[in-house]
Amino acid sequence: MQIVFMNRLSRISGLTEEVFAQLWIGEEEGVWRLGWRDFAEAGEGEDSLWYEGGSWNEMLCVYRHELAVKMGEGYRPLIDGVFHEEEGLAGRNQEQLRLQYYSEQYANEAVYEELSAWRRGKASSERKAPYILASNRLLRLLSTFLPQSTEELLQIPGIGEAKAAQYGPDWLAITAAAPREHDFPLKWVREATDEDAFSSWLYKQKEIKYKKQLERLRLNRMLLQGIEGGLGLEQLKEQTGIGRRELLEAVEELEKDGYSVEKLIELELVTMEREQQEAAWNAYAELGDLFLKPVFHKVYGENFSASEGLDFYYERLRLIRIRFRREQADKLGVAGNF
């Protein structure tokens, strides 16, 4: 096996003892291997094989995820840039992450619960998903730093002038009523943050991010193999263990990424009447393809109901939308060549 990458890492164990490890990537006849070696005091190493297979992309995802776990445990590399990614943490972005980290440690739970109750009520009255109004992360920030004015509110990451104007008075009515120990601006957070703990938290965020990437990569591979093998949605659901809605979202993403899912579409629409397929296509052309509900009403009528529920009919519309969007993209591509 040819070693193509190797790095040495170390961390402090106990009060003073430094322990070492080695990370390596090897290749032999198209098979990638990724491993970790812990060094004992005598210099002998104990190997752990993290990955063995033919996919460079999957190996890289495993590499990033497992390395983030180790760095969260306190290991630091001899060679920097070990994650092999282009993006870095700009100063402003890192300060925003520092605020997020601090808010996860020191949020006012009573205020957070009050803000969450506000979000539930507002989402219900406006008929919007709660996360569109405010994410959990934003509510944590608000409940930690407790802004008392619009000027202070605008210093919270994720809040712009439009959102401050729309929901700011509601938020301030809650946050300004709570006592606070710190003031704005929030530069004091840097000194109040333990750097080692913050670094470990950052690596934990990377671990979560890379785990999601790895899960998505493996799901996509399973879906593509299943589609090529002639499986339908129900069989793919059983094979992957995810719900049909999430499954369709993954299929849509595959199409966006340039993979063909037409074999699955043909299989699922074989029992759908041609007239209904044409009606759905024409509805997308007339109403646009952003929202499904208007298209559903156009095709089936506003009072349509079915004993088996409506999800089945919405699934068909989503599959037709994949075809519709593909054709629109092809037309734009052809037009752009002239």
Side-chain angles (χ1 to χ4, degrees), residues 27 38 46 68 78 94 229 239 245 256 283 320:
E27 186 272 337
D38 284 307
E46 181 178 348
L78 180 65
Q94 188 169 46
Q239 189 177 81
R245 184 181 182 88
K256 288 179 184 177
I320 293 173

Side-chain angles (χ1 to χ4, degrees), residues 30-290:
V31 176
W32 294 99
R33 292 181 177 86
L34 167 66
W36 174 271
R37 171 173 292 186
D38 284 307
F39 287 101
E41 292 183 5
E44 298 180 356
E46 181 178 348
D47 283 323
S48 299
L49 187 64
W50 286 353
Y51 176 81
E52 183 176 34
S55 171
W56 164 263
N57 287 333
E58 185 175 0
M59 186 275 294
L60 192 58
C61 280
V62 174
Y63 165 87
R64 287 171 172 167
H65 172 255
E66 296 293 342
L67 181 58
V69 173
K70 291 295 184 182
M71 295 187 74
E73 294 172 357
Y75 281 96
R76 296 296 179 263
L78 180 65
I79 302 173
D80 289 331
V82 292
F83 285 104
H84 297 278
E85 57 187 4
E86 294 181 0
E87 78 269 14
L89 284 180
R92 179 176 174 79
N93 187 38
Q94 188 169 46
E95 289 311 305
Q96 291 179 351
L97 287 170
R98 191 182 298 273
L99 295 180
Q100 180 187 338
Y101 163 74
Y102 188 90
S103 72
E104 290 186 6
Q105 316 304 313
Y106 302 106
N108 183 317
E109 291 300 327
V111 174
Y112 179 78
E113 289 301 323
E114 193 172 353
L115 288 167
S116 298
W118 165 86
R119 182 176 60 179
R120 288 192 297 271
K122 201 71 171 178
S124 177
S125 64
E126 295 189 357
R127 296 184 178 181
K128 294 180 180 177
Y131 70 87
I132 294 178
L133 303 179
S135 65
N136 291 340
R137 180 184 305 171
L138 179 54
L139 296 189
R140 285 282 175 196
L141 289 165
L142 289 169
S143 62
T144 301
F145 300 113
L146 301 170
Q148 296 180 357
S149 67
T150 300
E151 181 182 3
E152 292 180 352
L153 194 64
L154 290 170
Q155 296 179 49
I156 301 293
I159 298 180
E161 292 185 1
K163 190 154 262 188
Q166 187 175 14
Y167 301 123
D170 291 348
W171 294 337
L172 290 173
I174 298 172
T175 58
R180 71 182 189 190
E181 299 178 0
H182 301 290
D183 293 323
F184 284 70
L186 302 175
K187 294 180 180 180
W188 55 266
V189 174
R190 171 177 282 276
E191 295 183 1
T193 303
D194 180 88
E195 286 302 310
D196 287 339
F198 176 54
S199 294
S200 294
W201 179 85
L202 285 176
Y203 291 122
K204 183 64 177 179
Q205 305 314 299
K206 284 183 175 289
E207 176 190 341
I208 295 170
K209 169 187 170 183
Y210 296 138
K211 183 179 181 181
K212 288 181 179 178
Q213 289 181 354
L214 181 58
E215 289 173 349
R216 175 60 62 182
L217 181 69
R218 288 173 171 168
L219 173 62
N220 288 349
R221 182 180 62 188
M222 195 179 301
L223 288 178
L224 290 171
Q225 291 175 346
I227 291 171
E228 183 60 29
L231 300 185
L233 283 174
E234 191 59 31
Q235 293 167 303
L236 290 172
K237 174 189 171 184
E238 294 176 2
Q239 189 177 81
T240 61
I242 64 175
R244 289 174 71 102
R245 184 181 182 88
E246 185 181 354
L247 190 60
L248 274 169
E249 290 173 355
V251 169
E252 288 173 336
E253 288 300 316
L254 284 174
E255 179 74 23
K256 288 179 184 177
D257 291 339
Y259 295 99
S260 174
V261 297
E262 182 59 29
K263 196 169 183 178
L264 174 65
I265 296 174
E266 289 182 357
L267 180 63
E268 291 296 322
L269 296 183
V270 69
T271 59
M272 185 177 183
E273 296 179 2
R274 178 60 58 183
E275 292 78 8
Q276 283 191 352
Q277 294 189 39
E278 292 177 355
W281 190 279
N282 293 334
Y284 283 126
E286 177 185 348
L287 304 172
D289 61 17
L290 186 58

